Amino acid sequence: MKSWIAAARPRTLPLALASIILGSFLAYATGHFSPTIAALACLTTVFLQVLSNFANDYGDAVSGKDTAERVGPRRAVATGDITKEAMFRGIVVTAVLSLVAGIWLLVEATRVGGQVVFWSFFILGLGCIAAAIGYTNGKRPYGYAGLGDIAVLIFFGWVGVLGTYYLHALTFDSLLLLPATSVGLFATGVLNINNIRDIETDAKTGKNSIPVRLGRAGAIQYHWALLLAGMICALLYSVMTSAPSVTYLYLLSFPLFVLNGRAVATHRQPGELNPRLGQLALSTLVFVLLFGIGQVLA
């Protein structure tokens, strides 16, 4: 049981839930919040994140990308804590649970929206499952081609925030793309730290992540760009919506991102970056909570 819990990587869940929380806050601020939809969206996201973690563990072990030189958290399949066959079954089970929870969510959310909304989001949900599995699995895993950053921006940012808001409100506001992009960019920053930490082992095993392509110095500049762009998107949203001063509460979280950027730039040993992963994930959650509270208070 401990091995399965470790493989599920519960520390990644707050970051996965950040977009759902923000989308629900924005819906509440406009009078469209549903506790049932919020709960089911969170449940679906948890299953999808665990599915992604299981598939990542399995894919890296099968492909040989996980080696003894890896500095990150212990991997279950590569170390023999869980067999490949058992992990494959775990992937199937979590994929089914993700699908069932997602369908339940859509049934509740589209009682008014109708069949078009249901099937549109159903196809999107299948895409989420495929993306979770395809990151390190299949003939051409997109994570090994350096496309994981784009996937994180799309699913942890745009799909998570805008999709959750739409399921609550059954309407779309294009300006919400800005805070959704903020969350997506911060989440991409978490992946970037992970890839900077693993830059040497990834280069040896043919995993062409963004840091491998850019080199360490370029990856650090890229990290700063992600953090600063995320901050700018939030500020643009506040300015463009003529938001009252209370909605700027999220500015209190910005020093946390600056501290993260400085730490990533100065830490030279791969192991020193491990705490920065959790710190940026929690900073993103703090940003989301402050941003959402500001919207509600306004």
Side-chain angles (χ1 to χ4, degrees):
M1 182 59 68
K2 289 183 179 179
S3 296
W4 282 104
I5 293 174
R9 296 164 63 189
R11 291 184 179 180
T12 64
L13 297 182
L15 184 65
L17 291 170
S19 60
I20 308 302
I21 294 170
L22 181 56
S24 297
F25 262 125
L26 292 169
Y28 187 91
T30 57
H32 296 103
F33 178 76
S34 166
T36 301
I37 292 174
L40 289 173
C42 287
L43 181 64
T44 303
T45 299
V46 167
F47 284 140
L48 283 171
Q49 184 60 43
V50 173
L51 168 63
S52 178
N53 292 337
F54 283 173
N56 191 17
D57 194 305
Y58 178 86
D60 280 346
V62 171
S63 65
K65 303 301 182 186
D66 275 343
T67 67
E69 298 179 28
R70 187 175 182 275
V71 182
R74 183 180 177 89
R75 291 298 185 90
V77 177
T79 57
D81 293 341
I82 297 174
T83 65
K84 294 178 182 179
E85 295 75 16
M87 183 59 80
F88 183 81
R89 291 193 293 270
I91 292 171
V92 172
V93 169
T94 49
V96 171
L97 290 174
S98 300
L99 185 61
V100 171
I103 291 174
W104 187 6
L105 167 63
L106 294 182
V107 169
E108 291 292 333
T110 60
R111 294 183 186 276
V112 178
Q115 293 295 311
V116 174
V117 175
F118 177 92
W119 288 110
S120 297
F121 272 86
F122 180 78
I123 294 172
L124 181 61
L126 293 179
C128 291
I129 293 174
I133 296 174
Y135 182 69
T136 58
N137 291 278
K139 294 183 179 179
R140 294 183 178 179
Y142 66 89
Y144 298 163
L147 299 177
D149 296 55
I150 296 297
V152 169
L153 173 61
I154 291 173
F155 291 105
F156 282 70
W158 300 339
V159 171
V161 176
L162 301 179
T164 300
Y165 178 84
Y166 190 91
L167 290 176
H168 279 289
L170 294 179
T171 187
F172 178 74
D173 183 350
S174 59
L175 282 179
L176 296 181
L177 185 62
L178 288 169
T181 300
S182 291
V183 175
L185 291 172
F186 295 151
T188 305
V190 175
L191 176 62
N192 189 53
I193 297 174
N194 182 86
N195 290 337
I196 292 175
R197 182 200 64 199
D198 296 339
I199 188 170
E200 294 183 2
T201 55
D202 285 348
K204 291 179 180 179
T205 57
K207 186 176 181 180
N208 294 315
S209 64
I210 296 297
V212 169
R213 294 173 182 272
L214 297 179
R216 181 178 175 83
I220 291 172
Q221 294 177 356
Y222 172 61
H223 191 69
W224 276 115
L226 291 172
L227 300 182
L228 292 174
M231 298 176 189
I232 290 171
C233 285
L235 287 170
L236 282 175
Y237 178 79
S238 297
V239 172
M240 294 177 70
T241 56
S242 300
S245 57
V246 69
T247 61
Y248 287 84
L249 271 175
Y250 61 84
L251 290 174
L252 295 174
S253 70
F254 281 3
L256 298 175
F257 295 96
V258 175
L259 289 173
N260 182 267
R262 291 181 62 184
V264 171
T266 56
H267 289 337
R268 306 303 301 179
Q269 298 300 319
E272 294 179 323
L273 292 175
N274 282 329
R276 301 305 161 189
L277 290 161
Q279 188 255 327
L280 183 53
L282 290 177
S283 298
T284 303
L285 184 59
V286 170
F287 165 83
V288 164
L289 293 174
L290 292 175
F291 193 101
I293 291 170
Q295 295 296 310
V296 170
L297 293 177

